[in-house]
Amino acid sequence: MKRLFVIIIIASISVIAVQCGTKQEPANGSASADSLKTKTDTVVVFVGINSKGVGRFDSIQLTHPLDEKMVANGQSIYQSKCFACHKLTSELLVGPGWAGVTDRRKPEWIMNWITNTKVMLSKDLAAQADMAVCLIRMPNQDLTDEQARDVLEFMRRNDGKK
């Protein structure tokens, strides 16, 4: 059973890698401005599999409304450590764009990813699938838990959370 599961995962990742970046035109043959754009963001979500990721974060208490000080700190960290590889849109740069990340991933997964990248890449299926699309390993940014939480709050603001 495990072997079949691994084969299915590998086949899925292969299909995603081939599909990434291909142009898609409407079935009626007309080419609108939107249809000429290439799709550069591919999202793989494994429902129920390591949905919180691998690491010490198993419960994150989110603030409502957003903590503006944390958002500002997170934006500063983004500008100094993250912007070279990640856009705030859905566009793939070196790494995936951040738009919608807090809708696709649980806060615990994001925190585990930021603070435990190496282990997540070796053990988390969603992280491995993202790696198959991006083809570049995210380096450890040596962020503290507090800094990682600030980045998460900035991601939430980027996704329109209030």
Side-chain angles (χ1 to χ4, degrees), residues 43-46 48-60 62 86 96 98 101-117 119-121 123-131 138 148 152 155:
V43 178
V44 177
V45 178
F46 291 98
I49 301 174
N50 294 335
S51 60
K52 292 185 178 184
V54 179
R56 66 186 170 280
F57 296 101
D58 59 6
S59 179
I60 301 294
L62 298 177
H86 299 281
W98 281 9
V101 70
T102 61
D103 297 323
R104 294 187 307 269
R105 305 280 188 228
K106 291 187 175 188
E108 296 83 4
W109 191 96
I110 295 169
M111 291 288 293
N112 283 321
W113 172 250
I114 293 171
T115 60
N116 201 24
T117 308
V119 173
M120 286 280 286
L121 282 171
K123 296 183 179 179
D124 184 79
L125 294 175
Q128 292 168 3
D130 285 349
M131 175 69 183
M138 182 172 127
L152 172 61
M155 288 176 163

Side-chain angles (χ1 to χ4, degrees), residues 46-156:
F46 291 98
V47 178
I49 301 174
N50 294 335
S51 60
K52 292 185 178 184
V54 179
R56 66 186 170 280
F57 296 101
D58 59 6
S59 179
I60 301 294
Q61 187 66 35
L62 298 177
T63 60
H64 298 285
L66 292 175
D67 182 318
E68 294 302 326
K69 183 178 181 199
M70 290 173 74
V71 170
N73 291 342
Q75 183 174 10
S76 176
I77 293 165
Y78 168 80
Q79 291 170 340
S80 66
K81 293 192 176 234
C82 310
F83 86 99
C85 297
H86 299 281
K87 290 195 173 197
L88 295 177
T89 64
S90 61
E91 186 178 349
L92 179 71
L93 190 56
V94 174
W98 281 9
V101 70
T102 61
D103 297 323
R104 294 187 307 269
R105 305 280 188 228
K106 291 187 175 188
E108 296 83 4
W109 191 96
I110 295 169
M111 291 288 293
N112 283 321
W113 172 250
I114 293 171
T115 60
N116 201 24
T117 308
K118 185 176 179 179
V119 173
M120 286 280 286
L121 282 171
S122 67
K123 296 183 179 179
D124 184 79
L125 294 175
Q128 292 168 3
D130 285 349
M131 175 69 183
V133 173
C134 297
L135 304 177
I136 303 286
R137 293 178 78 87
M138 182 172 127
N140 183 344
Q141 296 299 317
D142 294 321
L143 296 181
T144 65
D145 292 352
E146 182 178 316
Q147 290 172 318
R149 181 63 184 85
D150 292 343
V151 170
L152 172 61
E153 200 76 350
F154 176 65
M155 288 176 163
R156 293 177 62 216

Side-chain angles (χ1 to χ4, degrees), residues 23-32 34-36:
K23 287 187 179 182
Q24 296 188 7
E25 294 186 26
N28 64 10
S30 67
S32 68
D34 289 337
S35 70
L36 294 177

